[in-house]
Amino acid sequence: MNTALPALTTRLSRADMQALEAAVAALERTSFARRMSQLAGKQIGFAGKVMPEKWRRASAIAARRALEAALRFAIGSLKNGGPSLPHRQLAGLCGAVGGAAGGAALALELPVSTTLMLRAIADIARTEGEDLSDPAVSFACLEVFALGGHGEGEGVFEGGYLALRGILAKSVSGATSYVAAGGVAAESAPVVTRFIARISSRFGVVVTQKTAAQAAPILGALGGAVVNLAFMEHFETLARGHFTVRRLERAYGEYEVRSEYVRIAREAGYWAKASA
């Protein structure tokens, strides 16, 4: 994606510029691996690197199934608002179960945790002015799960968040159109399947890191709850950045907001490693 856009005299207010700067920092610098390293030391990062291949495969499968469960919830429940839930408390409880039972509980715990996170993401979307009855917003909520798939490095390539949105745009548009047209059994439609596959390939990276963290000897049931809370906070941070950018795009136009996004990211050096 070519993100070299000409400089503009921005129309963004000071408050909105500060909000955009915070969003850029959240979207370009947030790393679950770093959060885990800060929480429990370097053992977590190392555990992720040496994780057995069968665990990696199990994490990938669990991530895909969790997103399929979240998709059904998104299509069926987000537009109705849904009940107010104590997301973090429930996520912590799920994590405690996962921490106590180990990797064997991942297939049961992750769909619940992911659906709880989706509900929290939807609440953030609503506060940023999104209409949850719009199928496009449901898919924008699910898109957040693709934003956290960084390793321990700062960024994968120049363009970061904007490039990823560009990559996902066609899949998001196709899936949204299908659901808006009244498609039934949406999760099995090819266009929706492709969207979930794109999201799960990146979500699976974080799930693998989460699994490694919960399996670490220094953790356990209590530690599993802490990991799940960090897992939720990670995606909530990304959601705030994502929906702040979308709010500003509605207010000022995509071109101007994305131009400012590129300028902020470059001046802050978020893409320095990738552009070297």
Side-chain angles (χ1 to χ4, degrees):
M1 175 181 176
N2 181 10
T3 55
L5 301 174
L8 298 172
T9 301
T10 183
R11 296 183 294 117
L12 273 68
S13 69
R14 182 174 181 179
D16 284 340
M17 183 61 73
Q18 290 174 339
L20 182 59
E21 289 170 352
V24 174
L27 293 163
E28 300 296 335
R29 292 183 62 85
T30 299
S31 166
F32 185 70
R34 175 183 294 125
R35 188 187 292 263
M36 286 293 92
S37 293
Q38 292 171 343
L39 181 67
K42 291 296 182 181
Q43 297 96 324
I44 299 303
F46 179 74
K49 293 185 177 75
V50 299
M51 193 176 213
E53 182 59 30
K54 66 178 181 179
W55 283 27
R56 291 181 183 273
R57 289 195 300 269
S59 294
I61 293 169
R64 176 67 178 257
R65 290 176 178 170
L67 287 172
E68 288 170 350
L71 171 66
R72 290 190 289 273
F73 178 82
I75 293 172
S77 301
L78 290 188
K79 64 183 178 181
N80 298 321
S84 177
L85 297 172
H87 307 119
R88 295 194 177 188
Q89 292 90 330
L90 291 172
L93 179 60
C94 289
V97 172
L106 183 65
L108 297 175
E109 174 262 315
L110 187 63
V112 177
S113 295
T114 303
T115 301
L116 288 171
M117 288 194 295
L118 180 62
R119 180 72 260 172
I121 289 168
D123 286 346
I124 291 169
R126 185 190 291 110
T127 64
E128 294 293 341
E130 301 279 1
D131 178 4
L132 296 182
S133 67
D134 182 351
V137 176
S138 294
F139 284 100
C141 290
L142 286 163
E143 200 174 10
V144 171
F145 292 109
L147 304 179
H150 301 308
E152 292 189 65
E154 289 303 317
V156 178
F157 47 81
E158 178 160 336
Y161 163 77
L162 296 180
L164 181 59
R165 275 185 69 186
I167 291 169
L168 293 174
K170 186 174 181 180
S171 295
V172 171
S173 176
T176 298
S177 297
Y178 182 86
V179 172
V184 295
E187 63 271 18
S188 63
V191 67
V192 178
T193 298
R194 286 193 295 271
F195 169 77
I196 291 296
R198 284 184 175 274
I199 299 294
S200 65
S201 65
R202 293 182 62 86
F203 182 49
V205 173
V206 186
V207 171
T208 298
Q209 294 166 350
K210 172 183 179 293
T211 305
Q214 287 180 309
I218 59 174
L219 295 177
L222 179 59
V226 172
V227 169
N228 242 33
L229 288 173
F231 192 56
M232 173 167 277
E233 289 171 359
H234 174 67
F235 285 101
E236 287 179 342
T237 297
L238 294 168
R240 280 189 287 272
H242 180 48
F243 288 107
T244 293
V245 172
R246 284 172 57 92
R247 171 176 61 80
L248 296 176
E249 287 174 346
R250 292 194 298 274
Y252 298 99
E254 288 186 7
Y255 187 83
E256 182 158 355
V257 172
R258 295 186 184 198
S259 295
E260 285 299 319
Y261 189 109
V262 170
R263 180 189 62 77
I264 292 166
R266 285 182 173 160
E267 289 183 359
Y270 296 151
W271 297 339
K273 186 182 293 187
S275 58

